[in-house]
Amino acid sequence: MGQQETVATSLADTVREGIGAALAQVDADLARRYPGDPGTRQPVHTVYVPGDVFAAGTLRSWGDQALAALDAHAPDAGALAAVLGIPDALAMDVHDRVRAKLTREPIEDLRIDFEDGYGPRPDAEEDEAAARAAALVAAACREGTAAPYMGIRMKCMEAAVRDRGIRTLDIFLTGLMAAGGLPDGLVLTLPKVTYAEQVTAMVRLLEAFERAHGLEAGRIGFEIQIETTQSILGADGRATVARMIEAAEGRATSLHYGTFDYSASCGVSAAHQSLDHPVADHAKAVMQVAAAGTGVRLSDGSTNVLPVGPTEQVHAAWRLHHGLVRRSLARAYYQGWDMHPAHLPTRYAAVYAFYREGLEQAAARLAAYVAKAGGDVMDEPATAKALSGYLLRGLDCGAVDTAEVARLTGLTRADLDALAGRPAATA
């Protein structure tokens, strides 16, 4: 009884070894193409500020304007909850966390824009603005006032503006190097990509910069902005965005959907251009499948309806924005664009309510899964991964606290990272 019993098999070891050898290349390809989540924090939004407008006080100014809008149009928890339909049980917690966020860290990701938000300028003017942007970002990083993620959006790789975009990027990166090096939260955005070859060109450009400064190969990544029909479906009928991820050679960090350029390219009239239009849903569904498992993240677009004017008008814009953010979160687009300081209260209110309202259920399901205790839902490893990811995102943005997650789950941050398939918490 104490000895291991021998079971009967029919296949020789050479069969198993032969199959392993035949699939070795597939194994390597899967590991290269689908490395999984990078394990870093993903910002809940990106704010675009034109290159000539960005200043040392921009982040604080946005936070102050957002707080002023909150004070003017929803001065307490009950008022904010009534406008947005937040349940009474969450109202005070969400309101307090939103105010604290706007005071502490109003912007998670800021892009200094040298593309559509900046437009064509004399070369000398754009040169000066790019150098100034580098100096301001470097100073903010030194002083501890930078957003967690900051960078620029250059002009695209189309012939008419290609040289200008390359020069602006060179000036910005060179300025950062001269000021002490590239910050950890550096993010670059390549807009209006239509062909995978344009992504390859960006890779070659960054390789050349890294060699020129003795940087580690692959140090600089970039976002691919999906704004054209050609970036979703190529002339050959293939999903171009998947080819773009491959062409980035591991440097692509995210795919950003451009609501208005993409809608216009599909012929959608201006009155109906929105991130919940069917053409937007189709484009983002293709992006989502192409990026799944690659470590490349998704960002939804924006609304151009600004919360300005009388209170009634602000409330209508807030309800629209809040509903769109909630819709995106439910569809696993955990990031989006914000166009105005008064969008920040509804961005964070939607995000915080999303994570707080599901906290106890997600924590209970995950705890039961880990304890193999069963319950009224039978979860599998893939679902446990999603539950852990949900809690981690809530922690990263400040919607939930480490102590309450540990109390509800009995798990540490490292435990959650392991269950979510993240290599480690690095931000």
Side-chain angles (χ1 to χ4, degrees), residues 265-290:
S265 72
C266 288
V268 179
S269 62
H272 298 283
Q273 292 177 0
S274 173
L275 56 83
D276 62 351
H277 192 281
V279 301
D281 284 341
H282 171 259
K284 288 179 288 188
V286 175
M287 291 164 58
Q288 195 167 41
V289 174

Side-chain angles (χ1 to χ4, degrees), residues 126-202:
E126 185 160 341
D127 283 356
E128 182 181 359
R132 176 173 164 274
L136 288 171
V137 169
C141 291
R142 284 195 307 271
E143 296 162 5
T145 59
Y149 299 95
M150 295 182 75
I152 66 167
R153 177 169 70 169
M154 59 191 282
K155 289 178 171 64
C156 69
M157 286 290 180
E158 293 177 356
V161 294
R162 182 185 303 140
D163 288 349
R164 180 64 260 181
I166 292 171
R167 181 172 175 82
T168 295
L169 179 64
D170 188 7
I171 292 170
F172 179 72
L173 293 178
T174 300
L176 288 177
M177 291 299 299
L182 303 182
D184 291 338
L186 175 68
V187 188
L188 307 174
T189 304
L190 179 65
K192 291 184 176 59
V193 182
T194 52
Y195 279 72
E197 288 81 2
Q198 293 168 331
V199 176
T200 300
M202 183 69 165

Side-chain angles (χ1 to χ4, degrees), residues 7-33:
V7 296
T9 61
S10 302
L11 300 176
D13 288 345
T14 53
V15 174
R16 173 180 50 79
E17 293 164 357
I19 290 174
L23 292 178
Q25 185 57 49
V26 171
D27 295 339
D29 201 48
L30 282 170
R32 179 181 66 83
R33 292 175 184 267

Side-chain angles (χ1 to χ4, degrees), residues 194-196 226 228-247 255 282-283 285-291:
T194 52
Y195 279 72
I226 305 300
T228 67
T229 55
Q230 294 93 338
S231 62
I232 294 297
L233 189 68
D236 57 2
R238 297 168 63 188
T240 319
V241 65
R243 296 181 58 222
M244 290 176 179
I245 292 173
E246 177 72 8
L255 305 174
H282 171 259
V286 175
M287 291 164 58
Q288 195 167 41
V289 174

Side-chain angles (χ1 to χ4, degrees), residues 4 22 63 109 166 198 210 227 237 249 254 274 312 320 336 352 414:
Q4 182 177 355
D109 182 26
I166 292 171
Q198 293 168 331
E210 288 165 351
E227 302 178 272
E249 299 177 20
S254 59
S274 173
E312 182 178 356
L320 173 65
Y352 288 177

